[in-house]
Amino acid sequence: MSPKKRNYTYQSMREEREFGPYWYSGAWNILRPVLIGITTMIVVIGLLSMVWQSVYDSYVAPVNTEDNTDIVFEVASGQSLTRVAANLEKAGLVRSATVFKYYCDFAGWGQKLQVGSYYLKASMTMEEIADQLTRGDGNPLVRNITLIPGWSIEEFAAKLVSDGVLKNADRFLSLCRSGEEFKDYYYIADVLSSGQPKSRKYVLEGYLAANTYEIYTDSTEEEIIRKLLSQTEVAFPADDQDRAEELGFTMDQILTLASMIEKEAKESDFAKVSAVFHNRLKAKMKLQSDVTVHYVTGVRRMSLTEKEISVSSAYNTYQITGLPLGPICSPSTAAIDAALYPDETFLAENYLYFCAKEPGSGELYFSRTLQEHEQAVSVYEPLWKAYDQSRGIE
């Protein structure tokens, strides 16, 4: 072997001895923490998975995935999420009331549980149960009904039927017509003892307080009526009774006046309309209120015909002097307040007339003299007649 060849081999072997081990050691130093990290991560994930599976099986999983038996579960009115969750656990529908409660809170469903009677299963997940309870697709135990200010008893009865609260309106209207079942309410007893009941269209007209009520779905007609009558004491408190006496009116007369105000004007004009009526009553003038005729005929016409004006009825204020026989609708508390506290300026300036302006606007034109009133009528009456014709009322 030549010296040159021998020197090359020696040099190569020397480099291999000097650098080879260092390269391997450097690579290992880099890979070792990575491998340790990966291994640790795998172990941690495995442990977390085991812990989660244990937690899931113990607290989150369906109680029994094989059990599809329907269980009737009720959410009653006023129950808190905590109470509902506890009842679910007690019924064997969730594993943990606490976990279910926190789950609903986290998902934003805590305030969305709907009152009702539901068919749930032990095989359902918490999400499925919560979803059903918040959708409210169970058979409700309670429901809301609303009596709008200005509605008559007949209009309210028709709404109860159309909403499925009542199958028909016959018994409801019969009870409201006689009022005999409710004479334990002192204000109904007063009406019944007044000698007018047989002449009134409905003894309870004006006494069913306008509001929104929560009733049981199986409520009877009597129970619904009592719910509304009880609210009348709230709508017409003792202070109002004192004020009525101060004015020389009974509660029934104030409710009657308020019902007319409710039908005649927007709330912003309630006190002004009240002042006109008070001034006419004081002057012993006929009130000549169109809405009292509407109550008798059942037709809401802006331009009354001579036949309508002449209709014989104790409700027709074109024919009688003073207030009509009784209320013509359920007045709002704002209308009651206006009846008790008419506009002082309009009282002092003796305003005696008002009429509608353009149909649909709800605005009124007020006058102090008959001449001024007749002039306003000549301007607006053609608009009233055109409006009636557009609605098919001839």
Side-chain angles (χ1 to χ4, degrees):
M1 183 180 294
S2 68
K4 185 176 180 180
K5 182 72 172 177
R6 189 168 49 248
N7 289 340
Y8 173 78
T9 302
Y10 175 77
Q11 181 68 24
S12 298
M13 291 175 64
R14 182 181 176 188
E15 289 176 356
E16 184 178 346
R17 285 197 303 269
E18 291 181 358
F19 297 105
Y22 289 102
W23 172 85
Y24 176 80
S25 176
W28 172 246
N29 287 337
I30 294 173
L31 290 174
R32 183 171 179 273
V34 174
L35 293 173
I36 291 173
I38 292 173
T39 303
T40 302
M41 187 179 298
I42 292 172
V43 172
V44 170
I45 291 173
L47 290 173
L48 289 175
S49 179
M50 290 174 60
V51 171
W52 165 246
Q53 190 62 48
S54 177
V55 170
Y56 180 82
D57 291 341
S58 299
Y59 301 104
V60 181
V63 174
N64 187 347
T65 57
E66 303 299 323
D67 187 356
N68 290 311
T69 304
D70 284 330
I71 298 174
V72 178
F73 183 79
E74 293 185 353
V75 178
S77 176
Q79 283 187 333
S80 64
L81 174 59
T82 300
R83 172 58 61 186
V84 172
N87 290 343
L88 285 169
E89 182 179 345
K90 184 177 180 180
L93 291 166
V94 299
R95 293 179 178 272
S96 170
T98 302
V99 172
F100 181 82
K101 178 183 181 301
Y102 283 132
Y103 173 77
C104 288
D105 282 336
F106 180 77
W109 291 345
Q111 303 299 320
K112 297 181 180 180
L113 298 183
Q114 301 293 311
V115 171
S117 180
Y118 300 86
Y119 288 105
L120 304 177
K121 299 177 177 64
S123 60
M124 295 173 70
T125 65
M126 283 199 313
E127 181 181 5
E128 290 171 335
I129 291 173
D131 179 63
Q132 190 164 338
L133 296 184
T134 53
R135 279 205 320 270
D137 56 359
N139 298 315
L141 300 175
V142 297
R143 65 175 299 163
N144 287 338
I145 59 172
T146 300
L147 173 56
I148 303 295
W151 278 5
S152 68
I153 279 176
E154 290 183 353
E155 290 173 313
F156 183 46
K159 181 63 174 174
L160 292 177
V161 172
S162 67
D163 286 350
V165 178
L166 301 176
K167 291 182 179 179
N168 62 70
D170 295 345
R171 178 160 177 76
F172 183 87
L173 292 177
S174 177
L175 290 168
C176 291
R177 185 175 293 111
S178 72
E180 288 292 338
E181 297 290 331
F182 310 100
K183 54 188 175 184
D184 50 315
Y185 293 91
Y186 74 88
Y187 33 89
I188 302 304
D190 288 346
V191 175
L192 290 172
S193 64
S194 67
Q196 297 178 337
K198 292 183 179 179
S199 303
R200 290 201 179 196
K201 194 174 181 180
Y202 294 97
V203 169
L204 301 189
E205 191 78 84
Y207 287 89
L208 302 184
N211 212 324
T212 295
Y213 301 86
E214 185 177 80
I215 62 168
Y216 288 104
T217 54
D218 60 353
S219 293
T220 64
E221 289 86 347
E222 291 93 335
E223 289 168 339
I224 293 172
I225 291 171
R226 286 188 175 278
K227 185 90 171 180
L228 276 66
L229 282 176
S230 297
Q231 185 66 20
T232 299
E233 296 182 43
V234 178
F236 204 100
D239 288 348
D240 285 358
Q241 296 182 43
D242 293 340
R243 172 61 176 171
E245 290 179 9
E246 180 184 329
L247 294 172
F249 288 83
T250 65
M251 176 180 178
D252 188 64
Q253 289 172 326
I254 289 296
L255 287 176
T256 299
L257 181 57
S259 70
M260 295 169 60
I261 295 169
E262 185 73 53
K263 299 291 283 186
E264 285 281 16
K266 297 190 298 185
E267 185 173 339
S268 57
D269 284 332
F270 278 178
K272 295 177 182 177
V273 168
S274 177
V276 169
F277 285 149
H278 275 277
N279 285 336
R280 292 178 75 92
L281 287 170
K282 184 178 180 180
K284 300 188 183 306
M285 298 172 63
K286 289 184 173 67
L287 296 182
Q288 297 181 320
S289 170
D290 288 11
V291 296
T292 61
V293 177
H294 299 159
Y295 185 69
V296 176
T297 65
V299 178
R300 188 170 179 82
R301 190 193 306 273
M302 289 201 69
S303 181
L304 295 180
T305 65
E306 287 299 324
K307 182 179 179 180
E308 288 174 322
I309 290 174
S310 301
V311 67
S312 178
S313 171
Y315 286 96
N316 183 359
T317 54
Y318 278 89
Q319 296 299 314
I320 65 166
T321 300
L323 291 166
L325 185 60
I328 60 174
C329 71
S330 291
S332 62
T333 54
I336 294 172
D337 288 342
L340 292 168
Y341 300 95
D343 185 280
E344 293 291 344
T345 300
F346 272 50
L347 280 177
E349 297 184 7
N350 200 35
Y351 275 83
L352 294 170
Y353 304 91
F354 65 85
C355 69
K357 291 184 179 180
E358 294 182 5
S361 70
E363 295 181 357
L364 300 176
Y365 187 93
F366 293 89
S367 305
R368 281 174 288 189
T369 67
L370 178 59
Q371 181 180 359
E372 185 182 356
H373 174 66
E374 289 178 340
Q375 183 177 354
V377 170
S378 68
V379 172
Y380 295 111
E381 189 173 28
L383 302 178
W384 306 340
K385 291 181 176 180
Y387 181 73
D388 287 339
Q389 290 177 355
S390 70
R391 294 163 57 227
I393 301 175
E394 299 295 337

